[in-house]
Every structure is written in C-alpha cells, then in structure tokens.
Amino acid sequence: MWVSRYVFLFMIYSFMGWVYETMFCTIKGGKWENRGFLYGPGCPIYGIGAVTISVIMQLTVGNGIALRAWQVFLISVLGSAVLEYTTSWVLEKMFHAAWWDYSDWPLNLHGRICLFASLGFGVGGLLTVYVIAPFTVNAVSYIQPIVLEFLALLFLFVFAVDLTLTVTILLHFDLLVAQIDDSFNQRMETIVDATVQQSSRIKKTIIRTGQTVNERIDALSRFTKGTVRRIYSFRDRDEQKNSVKNNILSMIRNAARRNRQENDIDAL
C-alpha cells in the first residue's frame, strides 16, 4: 500500500515539476517548449527530489527529530545539487547530450549545477515540505486504497512505456549521428583528395554531402524530432569540432604527401 502511495506521489510531483519547467522555459523563450527528459508530461528528477525530502521529513519526525526551516533549506540545496549533477552526468554518458546547461551562469560546476539554481531548489524544498506535500498527501488520503493501487500501476505502466520510447529514440539518434559523422569523414577525405588533385569536383561533392545529411534529418520521425528538441546542447560538440578539424588537417597532409610521391615517381 505504501509503495503505491509513493509511486502515485512521485507521478504527481513529476507532473508538477514538468508544469513549472515548461511554464518557466516557455515564458523565458517566448514560445512553447516541452521540457523534461521524457516525451510525456513529467520530469522524474522533480518527483525523486520531492519524494526524497518528504521521506526524510517523515523519518526525522518518526525518530523525534524536528528539523528547522534552515535545515530543510540546507538539505534541499545540497540534495538538489547532488541529484542534478548525478543526473546530468549519467544522461551525458548515456546519450552524449545535456538537457540543461549552467555554463553561462556564475558559480557553476561543469555546467551541471550552479549556486543560484541550487538555492532556488532550496526554496522549492521549503515549499514542498510546508505547502505542497501536506496538501498533496492530504488529497491522496481521500482516494480509496484499491483505486490508488490501480492508478499507481497505470501511471507506472505509462511511465515505463514513455521511458522505453524516449531511450530507444535517443539511442537511435545517437547511432544516426555516428553514421553521419562516419559518412562526413569519408566525404571529407574525398573532398581533400579532390582539392589536391582535381579541384573542379569539390562543389558537386559538397552539394551531394549536404543533400545526404538533409535527407537523413528530414527522415526522422515526429517522436524523434520532438525528443531531440528537448535536448539543450550536445556536450561533445566542441570535442567533435576539434576532432573533425584534426581529421581534416590529417587528410590534407596525407593527400599532399601522396601527391608529392606521385609527382616524384612521374619525374623519375
């Protein structure tokens, strides 16, 4: 029974976090923006944070410990920082992408967390403990146990489907990007060879390369495009640019070396 209640609360808090994130980013950007990792209306990181602080409060009260507001604030600040940094690191390692980036904010750590955002989540922790959680828990208490279990199972099923769909799309997109990158490197080698040996073919090769990339992007499904749009940035983009640049320079040197060798052979 208590598992179903926490699952239900997790879904509610995740939805509340999604509403906050979407409204904030929509107002800030001046256009609709569906925020969150999942395709559906939910931000699991908010659900995890809210449920965690609620459990901490229940455990402390159960052991006769009364946390003061400043202690709740400090726990929320430190807990949100750890949760945000860990989540950002895991998502980046899995999908090479970032759903948020504090690099332009002062006092940030690797762009994953920053002091002002963590302080904001500290205030959010106070609101959760003293306003949102009591109201939500009280409202949930009016739901019949059998109905609560049914809703928890239903939401858990929808969440699992959404998570599977999102992860599948992102992994497919990551594979597509890798294929495009390999294709780009091969095309660039052709272009470099053409530059050294026959420059008249460069324009046609570049046009064909651009058309191939555009066709692959246009072929993405609506779900894929919607998921990719929620990604704030690709963490590896600077490294990829440097890697591509180094590959191009290496190709140019190799092509020039081959051309010189051919010229030396012809001279003999």
Side-chain angles (χ1 to χ4, degrees):
M1 175 60 189
W2 64 271
V3 175
S4 299
R5 188 164 71 94
Y6 278 116
V7 169
F8 191 74
L9 290 174
F10 166 77
M11 294 300 176
I12 293 177
Y13 294 141
S14 297
F15 175 73
M16 290 180 178
W18 174 84
V19 171
Y20 163 75
E21 282 276 343
T22 300
M23 289 180 61
F24 177 80
C25 294
T26 297
I27 295 173
K28 181 180 178 182
K31 62 178 181 179
W32 169 257
E33 186 171 351
N34 181 16
R35 292 296 297 165
F37 169 70
L38 299 175
Y39 187 79
C43 290
I45 190 172
Y46 283 90
I48 294 173
V51 169
T52 300
I53 190 64
S54 298
V55 170
I56 291 175
M57 292 300 298
Q58 288 185 0
L59 290 176
T60 54
V61 171
N63 288 279
I65 302 174
L67 294 179
R68 297 182 179 180
W70 70 267
Q71 293 174 315
V72 175
F73 176 79
L74 185 60
I75 292 174
S76 300
V77 170
L78 296 177
S80 66
V82 173
L83 180 60
E84 240 193 335
Y85 192 95
T86 303
T87 303
S88 175
W89 184 85
V90 171
L91 291 176
E92 179 182 330
K93 294 302 179 183
M94 288 183 63
F95 306 112
H96 311 291
W99 275 254
W100 63 86
D101 192 349
Y102 297 118
S103 297
D104 296 331
W105 292 48
L107 302 176
N108 73 85
L109 180 61
H110 304 149
R112 306 183 195 279
I113 58 175
C114 77
L115 178 61
F116 296 109
S118 297
L119 292 176
F121 286 122
V123 175
L126 291 175
L127 290 175
T128 299
V129 170
Y130 297 111
V131 180
I132 298 175
F135 172 80
T136 306
V137 171
N138 182 62
V140 171
S141 65
Y142 288 99
I143 302 177
Q144 294 295 326
I146 186 64
V147 177
L148 184 62
E149 291 188 12
F150 172 77
L151 291 176
L153 289 174
L154 177 62
F155 289 155
L156 197 60
F157 172 76
V158 173
F159 176 80
V161 172
D162 194 352
L163 179 62
T164 302
L165 177 63
T166 303
V167 171
T168 301
I169 287 175
L170 288 172
L171 291 177
H172 174 73
F173 180 76
D174 192 41
L175 179 61
L176 177 62
V177 171
Q179 292 174 347
I180 292 177
D181 183 60
D182 292 338
S183 176
F184 175 78
N185 287 331
Q186 294 175 2
R187 299 272 183 171
M188 283 306 304
E189 187 171 358
T190 302
I191 292 175
V192 170
D193 288 336
T195 302
V196 177
Q197 299 176 3
Q198 190 176 355
S199 59
S200 61
R201 298 168 53 190
I202 296 177
K203 184 176 180 179
K204 293 181 180 179
T205 305
I206 292 176
I207 292 175
R208 286 197 301 269
T209 303
Q211 290 175 342
T212 301
V213 173
N214 288 332
E215 288 174 358
R216 292 191 178 187
I217 293 176
D218 292 337
L220 294 176
S221 67
R222 178 174 62 87
F223 288 105
T224 303
K225 292 178 181 178
T227 303
V228 173
R229 272 197 298 269
R230 293 197 295 277
I231 298 175
Y232 185 85
S233 64
F234 286 92
R235 289 282 190 181
D236 297 332
R237 62 176 182 270
D238 292 333
E239 296 179 5
Q240 289 172 352
K241 287 179 181 178
N242 293 332
S243 177
V244 170
K245 180 180 178 181
N246 293 333
N247 288 341
I248 293 174
L249 292 175
S250 177
M251 292 174 189
I252 292 174
R253 286 193 294 266
N254 292 335
R257 188 180 301 110
R258 288 197 302 270
N259 190 51
R260 286 197 301 269
Q261 292 174 351
E262 291 174 358
N263 291 335
D264 291 340
I265 292 175
D266 292 339
L268 293 176

